[in-house]
Amino acid sequence: MAEWKNLDQAKAYAELLAAKKVDVKEVMSGESGADRVRGYSIPMAEGLTFNYAARPVDDDIIDKLAALADEQELSEKFEELYNGAVINTGEKRHVLHHLCRGQLGSPVNADGVDKREFYVGEQKKIAEFAKKVHSGEITNEEGKPFDTVVQIGIGGSDLGPRAIYIALENWARVHDALKMEARFISNVDPDDATAVLESINVATSLFIVVTKSGTTLETLTNEAFVKDALVKRGLDPAKHMLAVTSEASPMAHNKGYLQAFYMDNYIGGRYSSSSAVGNTVLALAFGPEVFRQFLDGAAAADKAATEKDIKKNAAMMDALIGVYERNVLGYESTAVLPYSQALSRFPAHLQQLDMESNGKSVNRYGEKVDYATGPIIFGEPGTNGQHSFYQLLHQGKTIVPMQFIGYKESQLGNDVIIEGSTSQKKLCANVAAQIVAFACGK
């Protein structure tokens, strides 16, 4: 078993505190900057690339970060998580979201069952149900096909699935993969549910109620709101409502739902896009085959994160640089800036993933720590943010690390030439220009 100790107890952390700081403007200027851009790059899964040339590190800092990773046994701890160890010691639970998309090690048994088989079994049930809806085998009471699916949930039951749906929606339209429109209700504010209900044909809509415990107040309130709307239209809620919950929930095996799919306590809400929480709405929206491709991409990213050399492991390198920026340089925030409209909700999803995970003031043994455990995450798609909060980032007194996400080609391939270049080329130019401007100053 790996040893767990606080960051400020690590010898490598003390060496990082004492190390010479990097002048980003200096290292990014001139021909040496071009060499740095080429050299400070790590291939990621599925053709993506992580470039950290404009981050405040050099070879010396990277070597010390690698030493910190070794001293804190990060690779060994990730391997333990991946192979089913009880990583969540506070609640004495396995952490098993990766099992939904594949596994490198031996089977994980919990609650007397093989959890991989359990997750795959739910995936098969959801796929079969989705295919019956798409084929018209499952219809509304009048025999009309369902054309819309609405997810009712909050937190991880909303943020991840919504971000992924928005990311793929227009791609699916262009590639004839949009089987059903999807909408999401999360806020207990009745205006949220009302706006969704007014925008759809309720009679041809399926509603997915997502709550692990079956007792989440906001979700149950919105469920009651939707049931009331169905009844007022003369519709039987039991013919329109699905449940995604745990088998110990009062919603399980309940005749008030057309179908129920199950999750368990070993997948935290913020990681649940790979589980039945994301699977149900996304398989109904895009089809099980597209969701399978999503899982395959996630599995490829999981496998890439097992690389022990941080110079070949983008996930670990990014995490370690993040620790350096927060706990050595003292930067309190990180901006996540996707230059893609399809990723408009990705920063919000990442907010929960990072800030809910790291939002702690004690270690895993309940002992108070004397250092920050994570940054504040915020973000907005470029180029919108350039005309909003970039002003403070460029000219204000607060230094904010920035994560730019860009694509060489547009998602949908629909573009025109205006003033000598396409919109996508202008977008790419904005990404490059902003990185250089922030790194070198202007």
Side-chain angles (χ1 to χ4, degrees):
M1 294 288 289
E3 178 187 2
W4 297 84
K5 62 181 177 180
N6 290 353
L7 175 65
D8 57 4
Q9 296 171 347
K11 177 183 176 183
Y13 177 63
E15 293 176 353
L16 282 165
L17 289 171
K20 181 183 177 181
K21 305 301 185 286
V22 175
D23 184 331
V24 176
K25 179 178 180 179
E26 180 181 325
V27 298
M28 282 292 288
S29 298
E31 185 59 35
S32 62
D35 290 339
R36 181 180 168 95
V37 169
R38 287 188 289 268
Y40 279 34
S41 181
I42 303 175
M44 299 169 65
E46 304 297 338
L48 297 172
T49 300
F50 173 66
N51 191 291
Y52 55 102
R55 307 288 285 277
V57 297
D58 58 12
D59 290 346
D60 179 58
I61 297 295
I62 291 168
D63 287 342
K64 287 178 170 56
L65 291 174
L68 178 64
D70 290 342
E71 185 176 352
Q72 296 288 63
E73 301 178 278
L74 292 192
S75 291
E76 290 78 7
K77 289 169 183 174
F78 185 75
E79 190 172 329
E80 282 187 14
L81 180 151
Y82 209 102
N83 291 323
V86 180
I87 293 296
N88 182 347
T89 54
E91 297 174 303
K92 296 181 174 59
R93 289 176 183 167
H94 303 271
V95 180
L96 301 179
H97 52 278
H98 56 278
L99 278 185
C100 293
R101 54 221 194 193
Q103 176 192 16
L104 292 181
S106 57
V108 177
N109 291 290
D111 301 331
V113 300
D114 182 321
K115 300 309 294 185
R116 171 69 177 160
E117 287 188 6
F118 169 73
Y119 297 139
V120 171
E122 292 304 304
Q123 289 171 4
K124 289 178 179 178
K125 283 170 53 181
I126 294 167
E128 290 169 3
F129 180 83
K131 288 176 181 177
K132 289 179 180 178
V133 171
H134 298 154
S135 69
E137 185 177 342
I138 294 176
T139 64
N140 75 354
E141 295 163 83
E142 298 177 345
K144 294 180 180 179
F146 289 107
D147 56 23
T148 304
V149 55
V150 180
Q151 180 110 320
I152 304 171
I154 197 166
S157 299
D158 171 77
L159 288 164
R162 189 195 293 250
I164 296 163
Y165 175 77
I166 292 172
L168 296 177
E169 179 183 14
N170 287 324
W171 170 86
R173 290 183 194 280
V174 170
H175 292 83
D176 196 29
L178 188 65
K179 309 295 184 183
M180 301 173 71
E181 299 273 355
R183 299 286 186 273
F184 296 84
I185 298 172
S186 60
N187 199 330
V188 76
D189 180 349
D191 288 349
D192 187 17
T194 299
V196 170
L197 294 173
E198 290 297 322
S199 71
I200 63 176
N201 181 353
V202 174
T204 55
S205 297
L206 283 170
F207 297 87
I208 309 170
V209 184
V210 185
T211 163
K212 186 184 299 181
S213 65
T215 61
T216 309
L217 177 62
E218 296 94 335
T219 299
L220 295 185
T221 300
N222 280 324
E223 178 190 19
F225 194 99
V226 169
K227 282 184 174 179
D228 181 68
L230 288 164
V231 170
K232 286 178 178 176
R233 289 168 171 80
L235 301 167
D236 180 0
K239 301 292 180 63
H240 290 260
M241 311 289 286
L242 308 175
V244 176
T245 190
S246 70
E247 291 191 272
S249 154
M251 295 167 59
H253 313 289
N254 189 317
K255 293 182 180 179
Y257 301 97
L258 180 63
Q259 182 84 40
F261 303 109
Y262 298 110
M263 52 175 154
D264 59 30
N265 287 326
Y266 304 114
I267 299 178
R270 57 197 178 277
Y271 306 119
S272 62
S273 294
S274 303
S275 76
V277 172
N279 190 350
T280 307
V281 63
L282 297 173
L284 285 167
F286 305 127
E289 295 79 12
V290 171
F291 186 73
R292 180 71 256 167
Q293 292 175 40
F294 166 74
L295 292 183
D296 289 344
D302 287 342
K303 186 172 183 180
T306 64
E307 171 61 54
K308 296 183 184 300
D309 182 350
I310 71 165
K311 294 181 181 180
K312 297 178 182 178
N313 186 332
M316 189 184 295
M317 178 67 82
D318 187 34
L320 287 165
I321 294 174
V323 169
Y324 179 72
E325 290 172 334
R326 183 67 188 94
N327 294 97
V328 176
L329 300 181
Y331 302 149
E332 294 184 349
S333 302
T334 293
V336 178
L337 309 165
Y339 277 65
S340 167
Q341 190 59 30
L343 294 183
S344 61
R345 290 298 290 172
F346 177 70
H349 177 36
L350 192 61
Q351 270 182 342
Q352 187 195 24
L353 283 169
D354 194 289
M355 295 177 71
E356 190 170 81
S357 295
N358 294 327
K360 309 288 188 290
S361 59
V362 299
N363 64 16
R364 64 195 293 103
Y365 305 112
E367 302 161 343
K368 288 187 177 296
V369 297
D370 297 322
Y371 51 86
T373 56
I376 297 166
I377 304 289
F378 70 97
E380 177 74 12
T383 55
N384 299 24
Q386 292 176 199
H387 296 268
S388 174
F389 55 83
Y390 280 32
Q391 176 73 20
L392 184 144
L393 304 187
H394 273 298
Q395 298 188 36
K397 298 290 288 183
T398 302
I399 297 176
V400 178
M402 308 173 77
Q403 298 269 29
F404 289 85
I405 304 172
Y407 297 89
K408 292 180 180 179
E409 299 177 1
S410 64
Q411 186 183 38
L412 306 180
N414 182 30
D415 210 343
V416 293
I417 297 176
I418 300 173
E419 296 183 355
S421 67
T422 65
S423 297
Q424 186 64 24
K425 286 181 179 178
K426 290 181 175 67
L427 188 67
C428 290
N430 270 278
V431 176
Q434 289 294 331
I435 292 172
V436 172
F438 276 109
C440 299
K442 181 178 178 182

